Amino acid sequence: MYTIEQLSLITGLTTRTLRNYLNAGILQGSKDNGIWQFTEQQASEFIRHPSVRPSIQAKHQAIVYDFLAGQDNGENEMCILLDLTLDESKAKEKADFFCNAANSLSHIRFAFSYESGKAHYILKGAQDDVNRIMK
């Protein structure tokens, strides 16, 4: 299960945008005690939706572009791109790990996508934080 915050982190879309997709019926989920939750299948269907996919891809590309543009924030930054051949369940298991690790640290940007047996992960943030996650 994913929360709306975790889905926001994975897709790069804001929680407000995700709520708009919920209102439009493009994103399916359930609200339990005031907290939106999404199954892996609901998250996958949303990420693969043809009207959503281009926005997610643009957000993912922006993470790398921002890094390459060298916006200096005064600390050493690192951007890791991983493309791994994995079955979908293993890919999601690793995505859950990265998502939880990124949630526990501030200012880490994380993105995940899965297509045709390839898992794509992006982690960007302070060098020490990204190193900590990768260890």
Side-chain angles (χ1 to χ4, degrees):
M1 294 291 279
Y2 297 101
T3 65
I4 199 164
E5 289 80 12
Q6 289 171 318
L7 193 54
S8 174
L9 183 65
I10 290 169
T11 62
L13 303 173
T14 66
T15 58
R16 171 59 33 217
T17 299
L18 293 175
R19 284 184 176 86
N20 289 338
Y21 281 123
L22 281 162
N23 290 335
I26 294 171
L27 175 58
Q28 303 294 315
S30 60
K31 206 170 193 181
D32 187 26
N33 292 325
I35 298 171
W36 278 105
Q37 297 203 341
F38 309 93
T39 64
E40 288 183 19
Q41 182 175 348
Q42 290 168 327
S44 268
E45 288 172 3
F46 173 71
I47 289 168
R48 289 188 176 111
H49 194 281
S51 67
V52 176
R53 189 132 182 84
S55 296
I56 293 172
Q57 287 175 329
K59 291 291 187 174
H60 290 185
Q61 290 167 355
I63 294 171
V64 177
Y65 177 80
D66 289 348
F67 176 76
L68 293 174
Q71 295 178 349
D72 187 17
N73 66 2
E75 58 181 84
N76 293 334
E77 279 200 326
M78 179 182 280
C79 186
I80 303 274
L81 308 173
L82 297 171
D83 286 335
L84 304 175
T85 302
L86 298 168
D87 66 55
E88 195 165 3
S89 65
K90 280 286 188 195
K92 287 181 181 176
E93 186 180 307
K94 286 191 183 306
D96 287 344
F97 167 79
F98 286 132
C99 186
N100 290 329
N103 269 339
S104 70
L105 299 167
S106 61
H107 307 297
I108 291 287
R109 293 187 66 191
F110 168 68
F112 166 69
S113 63
Y114 185 83
E115 195 170 328
S116 303
K118 276 284 200 185
H120 309 281
Y121 307 91
I122 302 170
L123 281 166
K124 177 188 170 275
Q127 181 179 352
D128 291 341
D129 290 343
V130 173
N131 274 330
R132 190 174 308 128
I133 291 171
M134 294 307 294
K135 287 181 183 177

